[in-house]
C-alpha cells in the first residue's frame, strides 16, 4: 500500500494498493498440455518400492494415464495379479520439464490415491538434476493413514520449530531437522488435519494444496473443496489472504538458509507400493495394514489384490506456478 498527499488538502491522503507483490501465472499444467509438460519415467524406483513404473506410451495404452473430460487421470494397474518375485505393480512416475525458483505452486485435485494398504503416493518437488539437495513433499501418505504428511529434506543444516499456533498441522513426532544426515533422517515434517489425505480428502470432492516459497519461508496450505479462497479460484492468488498455513516452515522459527538449501525445483508425481514407507515396519507396526489385510508382507498383498487399488488414482484439474 502506498499513499500520496493530494494538494491543496495536505491532510488528505489518496492511497493505492501496491501491485508490487502480485503473483502472475507462469506455468499452467492441465488436460491441454499434461503429456507435453511432464516426462514419464520407467525407472527403477529410487525409493525401493514394489513397483513397475511404465513409459508414457505404456501408461496410455494400459489406461493408467489419460484425459477424462477436462481432467488428468493417473492411476495404477488394478486388474493384474502380479508375481511377488516381480518388480511389482505397474504405476506412474512423472517429472515436469520445467523447474521453478520461488513463487506459488497450486495443485487442484478432485481425487488423490485413496489411502489403500500398500500405497505410497506423493506430489512433491526436488532440485533439478545435480546440485544442492532440497526436496519439498507437499502431498505424501503411506498405507491407510488419513492425514497428509508435509516434509522438507535438505543436504545442509536446516531446522524449523514453529510455535503450534502458527500452523494448523501438528509436528510429526517432533521431527524438526530437515537434514538428510540428521539422527532420524525423517526430515522436518508436519501432519495435516483429518481429511487432508486419502478417502477423507476424496469424499469432500478433493481440494487444493498450495506451496508458498520465498527466500525466507516455505508454507504449505490445504484447502478442502468447499473452502477454497476466491483469489485462488479467480487466478489472482494472494497468500496474505489465506490465513494460518497447514505447515509453516518459516525461517524466523528455525535455523535455515532457505536459498542455500532449496535450489530451483522440478515437480513430481508418483504412486509407489511398499518400499521404505509402506512396507517393512510401516506395514507390520506403525500402520494396521498387516492386521486388517491378514497379509504378513506388503509385497504379497500388493501382488495378489489388484482390486484393492481401484481408488489409487490422481484426478487433477490443474497444477499452476505463479511468480
Ligand atoms: C518434455 O519432455 C518430454 C520427454 O523428454 C518431451 O517429449 C517433450 O517434448 C518435452 N516438452 C516440452 C514442452 O519441452
Ligand atoms: C480400476 O480402477 C478404475 C478407477 O481408477 C475403475 O474405473 C475401474 O473400473 C477399475 N477396474 C476394475 C477392473 O475394477
Amino acid at each position: 500500500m502506498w499513499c500520496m498527499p493530494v494538494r491543496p488538502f495536505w491532510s488528505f491522503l489518496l492511497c493505492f494498493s501496491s501491485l508490487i507483490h502480485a503473483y502472475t501465472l507462469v506455468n499452467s499444467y492441465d488436460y491441454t498440455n499434461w503429456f507435453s509438460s511432464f516426462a514419464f519415467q520407467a525407472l527403477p524406483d529410487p525409493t525401493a518400492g514394489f513397483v513397475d513404473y511404465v513409459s508414457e506410451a505404456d501408461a496410455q495404452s494400459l489406461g493408467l494415464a489419460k484425459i477424462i473430460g477436462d481432467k488428468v487421470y493417473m492411476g495404477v494397474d488394478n486388474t493384474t495379479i502380479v508375481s511377488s518375485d516381480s518388480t511389482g505393480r505397474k504405476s506412474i512416475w512423472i517429472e515436469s520439464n520445467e523447474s521453478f525458483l520461488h513463487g506459488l505452486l497450486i495443485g487442484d485435485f478432485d481425487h488423490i490415491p485413496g489411502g489403500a494398504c500398500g500405497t505410497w503416493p506423493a506430489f512433491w518437488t526436488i532440485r533439478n538434476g545435480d546440485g544442492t539437495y532440497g526436496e519439498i513433499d507437499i502431498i505424501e501418505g503411506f498405507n491407510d493413514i488419513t492425514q497428509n504428511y508435509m516434509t522438507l529434506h535438505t543436504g545442509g543444516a536446516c531446522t524449523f520449530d514453529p510455535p503450534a499456533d502458527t500452523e494448523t498441522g501438528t509436528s510429526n513426532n517432533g521431527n524438526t531437522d530437515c537434514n538428510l544426515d540428521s539422527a532420524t533422517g525423517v526430515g522436518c515434517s508436519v501432519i495435516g488435519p483429518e481429511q487432508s489425505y486419502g478417502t477423507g480428502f476424496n469424499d469432500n470432492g478433493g481440494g487444493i494444496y498450495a506451496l508458498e516459497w520465498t527466500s525466507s519461508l516455505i508454507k504449505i496450505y490445504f484447502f478442502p473443496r468447499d473452502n477454497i479462497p476466491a483469489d485462488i479460484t479467480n487466478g489472482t492468488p494472494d497468500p496474505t489472504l489465506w490465513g494460518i498455513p497447514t505447515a509453516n516452515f518459516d525461517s524466523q522459527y528455525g535455523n535455515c538458509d532457505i536459498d542455500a538449501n532449496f535450489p530451483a525445483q522440478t515437480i513430481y508425481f508418483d504412486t509407489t507400493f511398499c518400499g521404505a514407507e509402506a512396507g517393512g515396519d510401516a506395514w507390520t507396526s506403525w500402520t494396521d495394514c498387516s492386521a486388517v489385510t491378514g497379509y504378513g508382507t506388503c509385497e504379497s498383498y500388493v501382488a495378489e489384490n489388484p482390486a484393492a487399488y481401484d481408488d489409487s488414482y490422481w484426478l487433477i484439474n490443474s497444477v499452476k506456478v505463479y511468480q
Side-chain angles (χ1 to χ4, degrees):
M1 181 89 84
W2 63 279
C3 300
M4 62 180 232
V6 179
R7 293 172 212 243
F9 310 107
W10 287 101
S11 59
F12 174 67
L13 297 174
L14 193 59
C15 298
F16 299 84
S17 264
S18 168
L19 295 175
I20 290 168
H21 298 292
Y23 283 99
T24 55
L25 185 65
V26 295
N27 267 317
S28 177
Y29 307 115
D30 62 17
Y31 73 102
T32 64
N33 62 358
W34 196 265
F35 293 107
S36 60
S37 305
F38 288 89
F40 284 64
Q41 302 286 2
L43 77 181
D45 187 11
T47 60
F50 182 64
V51 71
D52 178 12
Y53 293 128
V54 298
S55 67
E56 178 178 326
D58 287 349
Q60 291 183 332
S61 68
L62 293 166
L64 303 190
K66 58 191 166 192
I67 305 302
I68 302 178
D70 58 0
K71 300 168 195 297
V72 178
Y73 170 97
M74 295 191 298
V76 303
D77 176 354
N78 60 336
T79 58
T80 311
I81 293 175
V82 299
S83 162
S84 293
D85 298 331
S86 71
T87 313
R89 183 164 294 289
K90 286 186 173 19
S91 181
I92 55 91
W93 167 292
I94 67 167
E95 29 189 278
S96 65
N97 287 26
E98 302 269 347
S99 59
F100 71 107
L101 179 67
H102 299 161
L104 307 178
L105 174 65
I106 302 182
D108 184 335
F109 306 101
D110 274 4
H111 190 281
I112 62 177
C117 282
T119 57
W120 172 12
F123 165 51
W124 53 295
T125 72
I126 194 170
R127 66 169 174 192
N128 187 17
D130 297 332
T132 311
Y133 194 95
E135 174 183 334
I136 305 172
D137 300 330
I138 301 167
I139 298 178
E140 186 174 24
F142 325 100
N143 290 329
D144 57 354
I145 62 167
T146 58
Q147 292 163 271
N148 186 43
Y149 280 62
M150 294 152 285
T151 306
L152 307 183
H153 297 285
T154 60
C158 177
T159 61
F160 296 96
D161 194 5
D165 63 358
T166 65
E167 61 188 7
T168 59
T170 52
S171 172
N172 168 15
N173 213 13
N175 283 298
T176 57
D177 193 340
C178 316
N179 195 328
L180 291 167
D181 293 335
S182 70
T184 67
V186 167
C188 46
S189 182
V190 175
I191 305 176
E194 285 294 339
Q195 304 189 322
S196 58
Y197 177 75
T199 306
F201 176 92
N202 296 332
D203 285 351
N204 266 338
I208 280 184
Y209 270 92
L211 165 73
E212 179 187 8
W213 171 24
T214 71
S215 291
S216 64
L217 58 83
I218 290 172
K219 296 182 179 180
I220 297 171
Y221 297 80
F222 160 55
F223 302 111
R225 180 64 58 203
D226 58 6
N227 197 25
I228 297 172
D231 56 282
I232 291 182
T233 309
N234 296 340
T236 54
D238 179 358
T240 65
L241 303 175
W242 295 351
I244 299 174
T246 314
N248 191 3
F249 305 106
D250 187 328
S251 55
Q252 71 175 303
Y253 303 128
N255 185 6
C256 188
D257 181 337
I258 288 181
D259 282 349
N261 280 291
F262 293 91
Q265 300 277 297
T266 305
I267 305 163
Y268 285 68
F269 285 88
D270 71 84
T271 305
T272 189
F273 297 97
C274 307
E277 301 291 350
D281 287 353
W283 182 261
T284 50
S285 31
W286 72 265
T287 65
D288 60 3
C289 281
S290 178
V292 299
T293 63
Y295 281 74
T297 68
C298 180
E299 290 77 7
S300 58
Y301 180 72
V302 171
E304 292 172 28
N305 293 280
Y309 304 108
D310 287 356
D311 209 26
S312 300
Y313 65 92
W314 303 88
L315 193 61
I316 302 166
N317 291 309
S318 62
V319 172
K320 295 180 178 176
V321 177
Y322 293 85
Q323 286 175 327

